[in-house]
Amino acid sequence: MDWTHRLRLRNLQMLLSLAQTRNISHSAAALNTTQPALSKWLRELEDDIGLPLFERHARGLRPTSYGEALIAHARRIEAQLDRAHSDMEAMREGGSGQVLIGTSGAAAPDTVPLAMLALLRRMPQARIRVVESTMDQLMGQLAQGELDIVVGRSAPELHDPAIRSEALYLEPIHFVARPLHPLFEGREPTWDAVVGYRWILWPRGTPIRNALDAALAAAGRSLPVDYVESNSATLNITLLAHSDMVGVASHRAAMRLVTMNAVRIVPLRLSGFGSVEMYWRNDALRPAGVETALECLREVVRGQGEP
């Protein structure tokens, strides 16, 4: 019999515990079993597979490349089981299952919330859970099955063959500041005036930061001496509202914040553009809620038109 047919959920828990603790005795205590029993199970599994899953060291265990591959599969299975539990609970309470969406700061203030409203109009009983984070973290969660859809800046360096993607729109980026910022007094601000204030920037390597760096290079400019790095849209907006800092936002996010009177766009042209995409796993079967959510994202973008 193939070794996969002998695996049980308890075995997956054992494997994931060893991956986390890197220690036989610690995992045995956490799993309420004995160290010899856990060691025996691991040896038998490695014998069945014919590959070493962990390297043994004086200080504990270290997964081999084979072990890392199997651990990744175990994490995906665990995530799918958690998802099944959540879906059943939602349906038992009269809902229609969960849709798990990850979004970066580029889409959080605008595209994703509007798509959520469109989804709820079509499927009033849908249970939606949204996670905001950076693209590298979100794409990892998507690959592990912890998210259904990710919407954010185009990140080709994070692409996975098992992940599908679709470009939603291309848009410029803007400097933004609080509505009563001194930059809006008198004549249109110059580069020197904008650089004179502390900036709030997304961290290095994030797509919107890459777009800003490209725009600065095209303008023959560099970053100011004083700046703050943050990957939190909420924190950034709060800092802008209570200081003379200058931030950077994508066009749609900036326009949404303008309508809320949270910021104004600084009239200084930036040549940088950013592409926003949606990503989802290339699964053979997807829940109806996920398919509908993808359609709602397309619908919202068509309704917004070009920036």
Side-chain angles (χ1 to χ4, degrees), residues 100-119:
L100 310 177
I101 302 175
T103 178
S104 71
D110 182 73
T111 305
V112 168
L114 296 179
M116 288 171 57
L117 293 174
L119 174 60

Side-chain angles (χ1 to χ4, degrees), residues 82-84 86-88 90-91 95-103 112 115-120 122-131 142 145-151 279-281 286-297:
D82 288 344
R83 172 62 183 276
S86 298
D87 280 351
M88 293 302 102
M91 291 178 180
S96 54
Q98 278 201 116
V99 180
L100 310 177
I101 302 175
T103 178
V112 168
M116 288 171 57
L117 293 174
L119 174 60
L120 289 171
R122 293 194 192 186
M123 302 179 70
Q125 301 304 314
R127 302 292 177 86
I128 305 172
R129 184 155 65 94
V130 180
V131 176
L142 179 64
E146 297 170 14
L147 295 172
D148 296 315
I149 303 170
V150 167
V151 185
Y279 302 85
W280 66 98
R281 287 185 311 282
R286 282 185 292 275
V290 175
E291 289 290 351
T292 304
L294 293 171
E295 293 171 7
C296 289
L297 284 162

Side-chain angles (χ1 to χ4, degrees), residues 180-188:
L180 298 179
H181 195 284
L183 283 172
F184 301 118
E185 298 174 359
R187 294 179 297 178
E188 289 191 357

Side-chain angles (χ1 to χ4, degrees), residues 4-191:
T4 58
H5 293 88
R6 290 191 291 273
L7 280 180
R8 298 291 181 264
L9 294 180
R10 170 71 169 173
N11 300 142
L12 294 180
Q13 293 171 346
M14 293 158 74
L15 181 65
L16 291 174
S17 178
L18 289 172
Q20 180 180 12
T21 67
R22 309 290 178 98
N23 186 285
I24 290 279
S25 60
H26 292 174
S27 286
L31 295 164
N32 196 28
T33 188
T34 65
Q35 183 174 340
L38 187 56
S39 296
K40 180 175 181 291
W41 170 80
L42 179 57
R43 283 196 306 272
E44 290 176 348
L45 177 62
E46 291 178 318
D47 289 343
D48 282 348
I49 298 174
L51 294 169
L53 301 178
F54 290 89
E55 296 175 351
R56 277 71 170 175
H57 297 276
R59 295 186 177 180
L61 305 174
R62 182 185 305 136
T64 64
S65 58
Y66 311 115
E68 292 285 7
L70 185 58
I71 290 164
H73 285 295
R75 286 178 177 143
R76 281 192 287 270
I77 293 170
E78 183 184 49
Q80 288 299 316
L81 289 172
D82 288 344
R83 172 62 183 276
H85 178 268
S86 298
D87 280 351
M88 293 302 102
E89 286 295 309
M91 291 178 180
R92 187 162 60 107
E93 296 172 7
S96 54
Q98 278 201 116
V99 180
L100 310 177
I101 302 175
T103 178
S104 71
D110 182 73
T111 305
V112 168
L114 296 179
M116 288 171 57
L117 293 174
L119 174 60
L120 289 171
R121 285 193 293 270
R122 293 194 192 186
M123 302 179 70
Q125 301 304 314
R127 302 292 177 86
I128 305 172
R129 184 155 65 94
V130 180
V131 176
E132 183 180 352
S133 187
T134 56
M135 285 300 291
D136 57 340
Q137 293 178 334
L138 294 173
M139 294 297 283
Q141 291 176 287
L142 179 64
Q144 294 294 337
E146 297 170 14
L147 295 172
D148 296 315
I149 303 170
V150 167
V151 185
R153 287 284 177 200
S154 176
E157 71 280 3
L158 301 175
H159 280 197
D160 182 315
I163 302 297
R164 294 186 61 186
S165 66
E166 180 178 324
L168 292 175
Y169 52 83
L170 183 72
E171 62 178 348
I173 58 176
H174 303 291
F175 286 122
V176 294
R178 64 185 179 89
L180 298 179
H181 195 284
L183 283 172
F184 301 118
E185 298 174 359
R187 294 179 297 178
E188 289 191 357
T190 63
W191 269 103

